[in-house]
Amino acid sequence: MALALSLGQRGQGTCWPNPAVGCVVVHDGRIVGRGWTQPGGRPHAETEALRQAGEAARGATAYVSLEPCSHHGKTPPCAEALIAAGVSRVVSAIEDSDPRVAGQGFAMLRDAGIEVTTGVLADQAARDHAGFFLKTEQGRPFVTLKLASSFDGRIATSSGHSQWITGSKARRVVHAMRARHDAVMVGAGTARADDPSLNVRDLGIDNQPVRVVVSRHLDIPLIGQLARTAAQIPLWLCHGPSPDPERARAWEGLGATLIPCALNDHQIDATDLLQQLGQAGLTRVFCEGGSALAASLLAEDLVDELVGFSAGLTIGAEGLSAIGSLGLETLNSAPRFELLEARAVGPDVLHRWTRSFR
């Protein structure tokens, strides 16, 4: 099952809106088939593993990181494929929360006389599939908030200079993290100040995450990295209900997708923003700030994982804070997370924090 989970992780960032599933087929103690959800969501993991196993799947055990689907979509149910292949046992990490499945895949297998075991490494599976579950159950994607800051929590000097606070090894790790998310998201201020590409570089991968920029007025430069690449790499602009019509037409002409969002206190409503992204199919979003967007997500309890890169330099109180105002009066009101890991990355420190799932 640990192998099935690791295989499933290979599909993260490439198979949305489908879950990133892994499957291992074992016959007489030997692995005869492996598979994971392919780019675009098809073929499914079980189909890939059974194709590799061939006739060796008959009488074998299939280890699957999520309950096999039981409904007809663009492809037949994976539960049917497992039955047709003649497997004798299916071991699954966790039940699917999609109401079209939700235990029905297990029931279909049991009705066919296949032994079913569930709950193996369920906690890890819940983390791996958290984005898919959140989209299914709450209509929003999983949100990772990444902040690279000085030792005293600043992301830029008073003049706005921010490149580079952390070193090249940390930046390479960030690109690997981007690759495992469906989208990379920033606020308009970051887009204006940094002229970012928001793509994955130097890792030898073809698939690129969607670039999402949150800009109420679409007041981001029509010249720059995002504008120049809008026709090649998906660019979604999340804006308020009344954007400047000329800028809207210009961005659409460049190839960007415009997504209207509701406002809350004259700013893009963070909850509606994520609902819109969930409706568009995203399951995992990697938010890289800036401080106002980070604060709005934290204030609405919409951050599922924090990733921090802390550098060994100090900028001082006049620098730009990593997180904008939250309006807290007591520590009891502060959002808290549990430490997942902390390690050195070159001269910097990576620390990851999470909240519990399921």
Side-chain angles (χ1 to χ4, degrees), residues 51-72:
R51 178 186 59 79
Q52 191 178 98
E55 282 301 311
R58 191 161 301 279
T61 296
Y63 296 83
V64 190
S65 66
L66 182 67
E67 177 182 5
C69 62
S70 58
H71 62 287
H72 284 268

Side-chain angles (χ1 to χ4, degrees), residues 197-200 207-211 226 228-236 255-256:
S197 298
L198 302 182
N199 60 353
V200 177
N207 185 77
Q208 290 288 342
V210 175
R211 285 96 51 87
L226 295 173
R228 286 196 293 269
T229 59
Q232 289 78 47
I233 304 174
L235 175 64
W236 296 0

Side-chain angles (χ1 to χ4, degrees), residues 63-344:
Y63 296 83
V64 190
S65 66
L66 182 67
E67 177 182 5
C69 62
S70 58
H71 62 287
H72 284 268
K74 294 184 179 180
T75 57
C78 288
E80 285 186 359
L82 290 164
I83 294 168
V87 302
S88 61
R89 182 175 179 234
V90 171
V91 180
S92 180
I94 197 167
E95 181 178 307
D96 194 342
S97 65
D98 188 327
R100 296 173 299 176
V101 185
Q104 298 174 65
F106 293 149
M108 185 181 294
L109 294 169
R110 290 186 174 109
D111 288 345
I114 296 174
E115 179 186 349
V116 175
T117 302
T118 64
V120 178
L121 298 183
D123 288 346
Q124 181 60 50
R127 285 209 56 80
D128 287 357
H129 297 303
F132 178 72
F133 290 153
L134 281 168
K135 186 175 74 69
T136 299
E137 299 166 13
Q138 299 182 26
R140 71 165 181 89
F142 180 98
V143 175
T144 301
L145 174 60
K146 187 277 293 184
L147 298 170
S149 64
S150 62
F151 179 80
D152 54 343
R154 307 292 164 174
I155 58 174
T157 65
S158 58
S159 66
H161 187 225
S162 62
Q163 296 181 336
W164 297 98
I165 288 177
T166 52
S168 59
K169 290 186 178 180
R171 295 196 295 274
R172 186 171 178 83
V173 171
V174 168
H175 280 272
M177 290 178 173
R178 286 180 177 179
R180 291 182 58 181
H181 287 75
D182 309 339
V184 178
M185 180 170 69
V186 298
T190 298
R192 288 191 295 266
D194 296 347
D195 187 26
S197 298
L198 302 182
N199 60 353
V200 177
R201 300 185 292 277
D202 302 325
L203 295 183
I205 67 170
D206 296 324
N207 185 77
Q208 290 288 342
V210 175
R211 285 96 51 87
V212 178
V213 179
V214 183
S215 175
R216 177 185 172 186
H217 299 293
L218 293 178
D219 52 346
I220 48 180
L222 284 162
I223 55 172
Q225 299 280 8
L226 295 173
R228 286 196 293 269
T229 59
Q232 289 78 47
I233 304 174
L235 175 64
W236 296 0
L237 304 181
C238 298
H239 58 82
S242 303
D244 180 272
E246 290 188 8
R247 297 189 71 84
R249 285 192 295 270
W251 276 110
E252 287 180 324
L254 289 170
T257 298
L258 271 56
I259 301 177
C261 300
L263 299 182
N264 180 11
D265 195 23
H266 306 295
Q267 300 296 327
I268 296 290
D269 183 89
T271 298
D272 186 64
L273 164 66
L274 293 188
Q275 288 292 317
Q276 298 297 331
L277 296 180
Q279 287 180 25
L282 298 184
T283 64
R284 292 167 56 84
V285 172
F286 192 66
C287 179
E288 299 195 40
S291 59
L293 179 57
S296 67
L297 293 168
L298 287 166
E300 295 298 322
D301 193 25
L302 295 171
V303 174
D304 303 298
E305 182 169 301
L306 290 173
V307 174
F309 289 89
S310 297
L313 78 162
T314 57
I315 293 176
E318 68 273 22
L320 178 62
S321 174
I323 299 172
S325 175
L326 290 174
L328 301 177
E329 294 185 358
T330 66
L331 288 178
N332 291 336
S333 304
R336 286 189 179 271
F337 295 80
E338 299 175 3
L339 184 64
L340 272 179
E341 68 166 319
R343 60 185 172 91

Side-chain angles (χ1 to χ4, degrees), residues 25-49:
V25 180
V26 177
H27 192 117
D28 290 336
R30 182 171 65 91
I31 293 174
V32 294
R34 303 187 306 166
W36 60 91
T37 312
Q38 295 299 293
R42 296 172 194 82
H44 291 182
E46 297 93 327
T47 305
E48 285 287 284

Side-chain angles (χ1 to χ4, degrees), residues 3-17:
L3 176 57
L5 286 162
S6 69
L7 290 172
Q9 290 168 5
R10 297 186 185 186
Q12 289 180 342
T14 69
C15 64
W16 62 277

